[in-house]
Amino acid sequence: MLRYIQNIICKRKPPLDGTHPNRQPDPVFYRRKHLLAIEGLTPPEIGHLLELADSYVLLNRSGKTQRDLLRGRTLINLFFEDSTRTRTSFELAGKRLGADVINMSVSTSSVNKGETLLDTAATLNAMQCDLLVVRHDQSGAPHLLARKVDAAVINAGDGTHEHPTQALLDALTIKRRKGRIEGLTVAICGDVLHSRVARSNIHLLTTMGSQVRVVGPPTLMPSGINDLGVRVFHDMKEGLKGADIVMMLRLQKERMTRSLVPSAREYFRFWGLDAEKLAHARDDALVMHPGPMNRGVEIDSAVADDPVRSVIKEQVEMGVAVRMAVLDTLSRGTGRNDV
């Protein structure tokens, strides 16, 4: 797998108030050329993105825009996999900040005519875009593009590798509800083997001080998962015992090359989240799901729609704010208008 592009550019902003020449400069502003993965990000970098995203929540709710922030910048959404939620979220985020947003349909693009990914990169580079959001079914594809284009590349999910903005929006949801991330016990349950969401969340949550458990059948656990600093459970009730957050994952049948679970009914019986299993978590435990949900397979409708404990709809809302923060942050170090 291609190594991550992780050149950190740290700058201190000069004091803006000339009447206070000895005033301390603003805190270090952490920036990266690209956002390709959560693995390798530092707690201050994650904290900065979450803090900035939190400040964008009200703006997003108002439906208004801050057009000056990304005025004159071009954002291209390049999705090689179907995605309504993530693509729409990035589109809204870009428009909220005033960017020119272009959605490229791969189904009608030159890719379907035999164009390689590198040829696509060369074409996009010639278009002089500033921000490139990429989703691809092959792990490492955004990393390859990041080496070939001048734009800031944002990984919107690559194969079974990572989905960094999903982990950030999950973390923002948790922090706004619980007031913290450090010290919480988070149970990530289901198809961990095929889940890029699980990998990004494991990296973020452990980096920020949470205790992470993964829960699911042995056939859906990747080898070496213990090396990521998590505890593995194959029994839902044991895995959820005392958990502050219960994060369910979609059963990704489209990525399975063989039968890994007996049936949807049997899967729900043992590893689907219902009220009986949720009772083993803390009384104030939150229920999360990255979507789309398979109701009756990994989660019961009554739990998914619980108005108190389910934050699934809130996750979708936080997704726009987080992507606004990512676009804002990365755009400061790219583009033709840099100072």
Side-chain angles (χ1 to χ4, degrees), residues 36-49:
L36 303 176
I38 292 295
E39 184 180 11
L41 292 183
T42 63
E45 289 176 303
I46 294 171
H48 160 72
L49 288 172

Side-chain angles (χ1 to χ4, degrees), residues 203-225:
H203 289 308
L204 188 151
L205 293 168
T206 54
T207 297
M208 300 303 284
S210 292
Q211 298 177 5
V212 180
R213 306 170 182 174
V214 289
V215 188
T219 53
L220 294 179
M221 286 291 165
S223 60
I225 187 68

Side-chain angles (χ1 to χ4, degrees), residues 18-36:
T19 61
H20 298 283
N22 295 323
R23 154 184 153 183
Q24 288 295 318
D26 292 341
V28 172
F29 185 75
Y30 291 85
R31 297 186 302 181
R32 289 174 182 259
K33 169 70 175 178
H34 311 290
L35 179 61
L36 303 176

Side-chain angles (χ1 to χ4, degrees), residues 7-297:
N7 295 323
I8 303 174
I9 306 172
C10 301
K11 293 184 179 180
R12 290 186 179 271
K13 297 180 180 179
L16 299 178
D17 186 350
T19 61
H20 298 283
N22 295 323
R23 154 184 153 183
Q24 288 295 318
D26 292 341
V28 172
F29 185 75
Y30 291 85
R31 297 186 302 181
R32 289 174 182 259
K33 169 70 175 178
H34 311 290
L35 179 61
L36 303 176
I38 292 295
E39 184 180 11
L41 292 183
T42 63
E45 289 176 303
I46 294 171
H48 160 72
L49 288 172
L50 295 180
E51 184 179 352
L52 183 58
D54 192 54
S55 72
Y56 277 133
V57 172
L58 288 179
L59 176 64
N60 178 49
R61 287 177 178 174
S62 72
K64 298 179 180 179
T65 62
Q66 286 192 347
R67 295 197 175 275
D68 288 340
L69 286 176
L70 295 186
R71 184 190 298 273
R73 301 295 178 93
T74 301
L75 164 66
I76 294 181
N77 285 323
L78 182 63
F79 279 58
F80 293 84
E81 284 185 324
D82 292 335
S83 171
T84 300
R85 188 176 286 99
T86 303
R87 183 187 60 76
T88 303
S89 182
F90 270 110
E91 182 177 2
L92 279 173
K95 290 181 176 179
R96 291 274 193 270
L97 298 179
D100 297 319
V101 182
I102 299 172
N103 294 317
M104 290 189 64
S105 177
V106 173
S107 62
T108 58
S109 74
S110 298
V111 173
N112 271 1
K113 301 175 184 177
E115 183 175 87
T116 68
L117 187 60
L118 291 179
D119 289 334
T120 300
T123 300
L124 293 171
N125 214 35
M127 292 180 181
Q128 302 296 316
C129 71
D130 301 288
L131 297 151
L132 179 62
V133 178
V134 181
R135 168 168 286 192
H136 203 284
D137 61 354
Q138 296 297 316
S139 300
H143 300 72
L144 177 60
L145 284 172
R147 297 175 61 182
K148 301 298 181 179
V149 300
D150 296 327
V153 176
I154 301 164
N155 182 1
D158 62 328
T160 58
H161 175 227
E162 278 214 40
H163 192 347
T165 56
Q166 179 67 48
L168 288 165
L169 73 88
D170 290 342
L172 180 61
T173 304
I174 293 170
K175 189 174 181 180
R176 285 174 63 88
R177 280 299 193 102
K178 293 292 188 180
R180 62 190 174 97
I181 298 175
E182 184 178 4
L184 295 178
T185 298
V186 182
I188 302 176
C189 312
D191 187 1
V192 179
L193 177 64
H194 301 102
S195 179
R196 53 198 175 203
V197 172
R199 284 165 177 76
S200 286
N201 267 296
I202 288 170
H203 289 308
L204 188 151
L205 293 168
T206 54
T207 297
M208 300 303 284
S210 292
Q211 298 177 5
V212 180
R213 306 170 182 174
V214 289
V215 188
T219 53
L220 294 179
M221 286 291 165
S223 60
I225 187 68
N226 307 74
D227 297 337
L228 298 181
V230 302
R231 295 184 63 193
V232 180
F233 293 84
H234 300 304
D235 181 272
M236 278 288 283
K237 294 177 181 179
E238 285 297 316
L240 298 188
K241 189 176 296 182
D244 299 287
I245 307 292
V246 180
M247 185 181 297
M248 302 306 298
L249 301 172
R250 181 173 66 87
L251 192 62
Q252 299 186 43
K253 293 183 178 180
E254 73 278 8
R255 297 189 185 277
M256 298 181 187
T257 57
R258 57 190 175 88
S259 179
L260 298 177
V261 294
S263 68
R265 177 180 294 182
E266 285 295 298
Y267 182 83
F268 180 75
R269 177 186 173 191
F270 290 103
W271 296 288
L273 184 66
D274 54 20
E276 180 185 357
K277 297 186 186 75
L278 183 58
H280 291 266
R282 293 178 62 90
D283 293 339
D284 60 348
L286 300 178
V287 175
M288 307 182 75
H289 194 299
M293 291 183 290
N294 294 314
R295 293 172 181 264
V297 178

